[in-house]
Amino acid sequence: MNKLPAVAFAASVATALTLLGSVPASAAPKEKCYGVAMKGQNDCAAGAGTTCAGTAKVDYQQYSWKLVPGGTCETTKTPNGHGTLTQGPAPV
């Protein structure tokens, strides 16, 4: 009885599982989440007064966004409520 094919199969399955476990989280889709960025940590082109990344003046601006893993935005809690997928109003 030859056990080599079974051992080779087991080794290939183990290798495949290892590779799947090593896929970086950055490979997952990201989404823009408004109202969760901390002061100076927003991502680019957030809105009035925030011309690009890192220009948010206060924490949790409703018109500033941060890229987050897909599906996590609306469950992210902040002192102002949850993150949102839609841009909030800029201050007047």
Side-chain angles (χ1 to χ4, degrees):
M1 182 174 207
N2 189 352
K3 292 187 178 185
L4 186 57
V7 171
F9 175 74
S12 64
V13 168
T15 301
L17 291 175
T18 301
L19 291 174
L20 284 175
S22 67
V23 173
S26 62
K30 301 272 188 174
E31 62 189 4
K32 286 183 182 181
C33 188
Y34 291 90
V36 299
M38 300 300 287
K39 177 181 178 181
Q41 295 180 6
N42 62 296
D43 287 319
C44 204
T50 56
T51 56
C52 208
T55 59
K57 304 278 189 247
V58 297
D59 293 344
Y60 311 114
Q61 287 177 328
Q62 294 301 306
Y63 58 94
S64 295
W65 57 269
K66 185 91 176 149
L67 284 177
V68 298
T72 64
C73 177
E74 295 176 312
T75 58
T76 303
K77 290 184 179 182
T78 75
N80 302 331
H82 289 91
T84 180
L85 298 172
T86 57
Q87 185 175 13
V92 200

